[in-house]
Amino acid sequence: MHQGCKIHIENLNLTIGKQSILKDINICIPEGKITVIIGPSGCGKTTLLKTLNRLTDLYPEMKVSGSIVIDDQNVLESGQDITEIRKKMGLLSQRPYPLPMNIFNNVAFGLRISGRLSKRILHKRVQHYLEQANLWEEVKNRLHEPASKLSIGQQQRLCLARGLAVDPEIILADEPTSALDPISSQTIEHKFLELRGKYTIVLVTHFLQQAQRIADNVVFMYLGEVIEQGPSDEFFNNPQQEHTKHYLKGMFN
């Protein structure tokens, strides 16, 4: 295991037919920190996130090579238990996708997968994860209402609670605030800042200001390549590459 790396990506390439989508990606994602992946639309940010938990397996036309080592295991090797890999990673999508059931069962779903719990313990655990997602006070009297009745911002926090309930080590977040209003966005950002340390967080965003607010570590991608990466202060205050300087000045997005 590379020291300090929770996820170590080496020589990662992804192609669709003859088209290269990810080109020779090498990244160390530090443990217990927030790593933010930025770059213009279509540069491969979301595709990179999908390779981490093997969601690329859903697209047979995608060919992946290289290694992604998490806890001394290369998750790309055939024979790996994909369910176990995905249990290590909670995933927050761009738009929230609550399960078609009530608020309580959305969170209990992940807990039930992990094993049988008594009703009393199940209720306590559901409350715990809803509190972790800053949602308990808003929903404690309506746990048996359909999750679809919640606002979009509340649904995103419910999906975060559901993701945390499977006890992951890593949280993957793909533009998790892009569909939210400013107050809900702020709530999610504050939550990530509280959760870092306990979890390793990998977040894709196209909001530079968001990256500046919450990133410990930044990865800048352009046309499928990693152009620059490093600690947030260094990245924003002293960028080394011309492409990075242009991007930070808003010369392309």
Side-chain angles (χ1 to χ4, degrees):
M1 190 71 183
H2 294 258
Q3 204 172 9
C5 286
K6 178 66 177 175
I7 305 170
H8 189 260
I9 302 170
E10 208 162 56
N11 304 328
L12 179 69
N13 287 276
L14 185 146
T15 56
I16 298 175
K18 290 183 177 175
Q19 190 183 4
S20 283
I21 309 298
L22 299 177
K23 304 167 191 171
D24 210 26
I25 305 286
N26 292 278
I27 301 173
C28 162
I29 292 174
E31 185 159 16
K33 306 274 190 192
I34 300 175
T35 294
V36 175
I37 303 171
I38 61 172
S41 296
C43 70
K45 303 186 295 291
T46 294
T47 304
L48 176 59
L49 207 65
K50 284 178 176 171
T51 62
L52 298 182
N53 69 350
R54 297 269 301 262
L55 276 177
T56 44
D57 288 23
L58 301 173
Y59 308 92
E61 68 277 13
M62 289 185 173
K63 304 294 176 225
V64 183
S65 65
S67 66
I68 298 173
V69 176
I70 301 173
D71 298 334
D72 294 327
Q73 278 189 316
N74 178 8
V75 302
L76 294 181
E77 277 176 3
S78 57
Q80 294 285 3
D81 185 336
I82 293 178
T83 307
E84 283 305 308
I85 290 167
R86 288 183 185 151
K87 269 170 75 174
K88 278 188 178 181
M89 306 186 209
L91 177 67
L92 267 190
S93 302
Q94 201 165 357
R95 287 194 70 80
Y97 292 103
L99 300 170
M101 48 184 72
N102 67 31
I103 294 165
F104 181 90
N105 282 329
N106 259 270
V107 184
F109 182 82
L111 293 164
R112 290 186 179 116
I113 289 171
S114 307
R116 290 180 69 81
L117 295 170
S118 71
K119 264 189 177 171
R120 190 178 63 83
I121 291 174
L122 186 65
H123 196 278
K124 280 183 80 169
R125 299 305 289 159
V126 167
Q127 179 174 343
H128 169 73
Y129 289 113
L130 286 170
E131 284 172 345
Q132 270 209 309
N134 283 11
L135 192 57
W136 174 250
E137 288 301 322
E138 293 165 52
V139 302
K140 63 184 179 186
N141 298 320
R142 44 192 295 214
L143 294 174
H144 299 291
E145 286 184 19
S148 56
K149 285 196 168 179
L150 295 173
S151 72
I152 292 283
Q154 289 172 324
Q155 286 181 24
Q156 190 65 298
R157 282 182 281 146
L158 179 65
C159 290
L160 177 60
R162 188 179 75 212
L164 295 175
V166 298
D167 208 17
E169 297 168 19
I170 298 161
I171 298 169
L172 306 177
D174 185 12
E175 301 198 12
T177 62
S178 64
L180 306 185
D181 63 87
I183 291 170
S184 299
S185 297
Q186 198 175 40
T187 304
I188 291 279
E189 283 185 18
H190 286 166
K191 200 67 238 173
F192 283 144
L193 290 169
E194 283 173 34
L195 292 172
R196 74 169 165 202
K198 187 173 180 193
Y199 302 92
T200 298
I201 299 169
V202 187
L203 183 142
V204 164
T205 186
H206 63 269
F207 299 130
L208 267 179
Q209 292 88 345
Q210 183 173 68
Q212 285 175 297
R213 283 192 297 269
I214 69 171
D216 298 303
N217 190 53
V218 180
V219 175
F220 169 54
M221 292 183 69
Y222 183 65
L223 297 179
E225 296 182 62
V226 171
I227 304 298
E228 190 163 344
Q229 60 183 307
S232 178
D233 282 355
E234 216 172 278
F235 180 89
F236 286 110
N237 296 320
N238 189 26
Q240 300 299 303
Q241 304 298 323
E242 284 306 308
H243 270 319
T244 312
K245 292 172 186 173
H246 289 161
Y247 183 70
L248 294 178
K249 285 176 183 166
M251 290 167 79
F252 57 86
N253 51 35

